[in-house]
Amino acid sequence: MAKRLLRSRERLSLKFGQASFELLGDFLINFNQKNKENLDSLSKCCGSFKLKPLLDCIFLICQELKLDPAVGYHATELLQRFMVKHLSDLLVTPETSAAAASEPRNLEDSIFDQLKEKFPLIVFSCVQLANKMSLNHHMIDTGTAVSFLHLLGLSVSKKTILESELMVFKGLEFKLIYPNPLTSVETLLEVLGHNDPSVPVKRLYHLCRHVLQFITLQKAAIYDSLLKVTTQRASPSKEQREKFVTVTEDCMLLGVGVIAVAVFILYIRKWEQVIGELSHITGISVKSISDFAHVTLAHIVGFLCPAE
């Protein structure tokens, strides 16, 4: 148990390219298991708190505080899970139940009133928790947090910040380790580099970060296009869209897709070789990886060269 805990902390603190192959293998197996568990237990609200405006906000907070982008991806996962749980809890409290009994609209108003004031602080608390979990030396103390939030127009005290962080921590049932797409990309790249040393993974790594951020911020449009390609229908049915939700939350598919796009851009001659190896590592079909990459590349081209 202690050995496993030590290994987990070691992996979190390692920089890209520093992990041993044995450690990578263990981590990949564990990540794949967690990813599958996540896909098997998706809620009807999955993705509701991963919309572009919220993601922009989280990434900007990380940028302003000079935090690693990995913190932003982790914070997004924490926010999604906490808010679904928090909203579920609010729906069964006596106050909201009474509002629902009198008029459904009152329930919505009551919940909105409870959340609108503290939601910005909840977002910041998720960033703080994610940063602490990263074992990064650049920690944000409560004094710095107060000053930063004041600049954003939020008048809060150190006590309020700590209480919000504790509320989120408890709401997540003290579980803070969840699959996130950047972890998937980094792990798969390192495994790819070990399996095929001819692939320049260190150069790919920097491009992969930009590709991942693009996909994350353009997620709705990219996955809508992928759904149409997968179903071969211009207007997929409601049932097809509902079944496709698991694809939109699959960190492993996103990870191989990001790497495939980066390889296509930088080393197209190795395209088929790398796609085959990624398929071998993850069990995801070559066609699925190729479809994801081609759809994403089309959106990148459209973004860089918009039609007049």
Side-chain angles (χ1 to χ4, degrees):
M1 173 83 174
K3 184 178 179 182
R4 265 183 271 171
L5 178 60
L6 179 62
R7 279 187 150 199
S8 175
R9 290 177 66 86
E10 177 189 356
R11 175 66 184 94
L12 285 169
S13 62
L14 287 174
K15 293 183 179 180
F16 180 77
Q18 293 181 342
S20 68
F21 186 67
E22 179 188 11
L23 187 59
L24 278 174
D26 290 345
F27 191 77
L28 183 62
I29 292 171
N30 180 261
F31 185 93
N32 188 47
Q33 181 181 342
K34 293 290 185 183
N35 186 53
K36 287 181 177 178
E37 289 173 359
N38 180 52
L39 296 178
D40 289 339
S41 59
L42 290 177
S43 74
K44 293 181 179 179
C45 301
C46 71
S48 300
F49 293 92
K50 293 182 181 180
L51 302 178
K52 189 177 183 299
L54 268 177
L55 294 172
D56 282 334
C57 177
I58 290 172
F59 286 136
L60 283 172
I61 290 173
C62 292
Q63 182 179 320
E64 289 296 318
L65 294 174
K66 296 180 172 56
L67 304 179
D68 190 285
V71 173
Y73 293 105
H74 193 174
T76 301
E77 297 300 325
L78 298 183
L79 179 64
Q80 171 66 36
R81 285 166 173 77
F82 171 75
M83 287 306 300
V84 170
K85 174 70 164 54
H86 190 53
L87 286 170
S88 298
D89 291 342
L90 287 176
L91 285 169
V92 296
T93 59
E95 293 82 0
T96 53
S97 296
S102 60
E103 187 180 345
R105 179 61 186 170
N106 289 344
L107 174 61
E108 296 175 12
D109 290 341
S110 174
I111 291 176
F112 180 76
D113 289 340
Q114 291 184 56
L115 285 177
K116 66 179 179 181
E117 296 297 332
K118 61 183 180 180
F119 185 68
L121 188 53
I122 289 173
V123 174
F124 184 79
S125 296
C126 289
V127 173
Q128 278 282 69
L129 288 171
N131 190 42
K132 290 175 181 178
M133 283 301 297
S134 72
L135 301 182
N136 195 311
H137 294 300
H138 187 52
M139 293 297 166
I140 307 301
D141 59 47
T142 50
T144 303
V146 167
S147 299
F148 177 75
L149 291 171
H150 280 182
L151 289 174
L152 297 181
L154 298 176
S155 181
V156 294
S157 64
K158 292 182 180 181
K159 181 182 178 183
T160 305
I161 289 175
L162 292 174
E163 286 175 344
S164 175
E165 200 171 308
L166 183 59
M167 177 187 71
V168 173
F169 193 29
K170 288 182 176 179
L172 291 167
E173 299 177 337
F174 309 104
K175 298 175 184 176
L176 298 178
I177 301 178
Y178 295 100
N180 77 71
L182 184 56
T183 303
S184 174
V185 170
E186 291 179 337
T187 305
L188 289 169
L189 263 181
E190 291 200 57
V191 173
L192 179 64
H194 277 285
N195 288 0
D196 187 351
S198 71
V199 179
V201 294
K202 288 187 177 180
R203 284 199 64 193
L204 286 171
Y205 175 67
H206 298 291
L207 179 57
C208 280
R209 283 200 162 202
H210 292 294
V211 172
L212 176 59
Q213 188 169 47
F214 178 84
I215 294 174
T216 302
L217 295 176
Q218 302 296 325
K219 181 175 180 177
I222 289 174
Y223 278 96
D224 185 61
S225 296
L226 183 60
L227 172 60
K228 292 173 182 176
V229 168
T230 303
T231 60
Q232 296 185 334
R233 294 181 61 176
S235 300
S237 66
K238 180 181 178 182
E239 183 181 2
Q240 287 173 321
R241 290 187 179 279
E242 290 174 350
K243 288 182 178 180
F244 195 71
V245 170
T246 55
V247 176
T248 67
E249 297 299 313
D250 190 342
C251 280
M252 200 64 81
L253 173 63
L254 178 54
V256 294
V258 167
I259 296 171
V261 170
V263 171
F264 189 94
I265 294 171
L266 284 182
Y267 303 102
I268 193 170
R269 70 184 188 283
K270 288 184 174 288
W271 163 262
E272 292 186 3
Q273 172 188 336
V274 171
I275 298 304
E277 185 59 39
L278 289 173
S279 177
H280 174 72
I281 292 170
T282 63
I284 298 172
S285 71
V286 169
K287 184 179 185 308
S288 294
I289 300 173
S290 297
D291 285 347
F292 191 103
H294 287 144
V295 165
T296 302
L297 286 163
H299 278 270
I300 291 174
V301 172
F303 182 80
L304 295 175
C305 308
E308 295 183 2

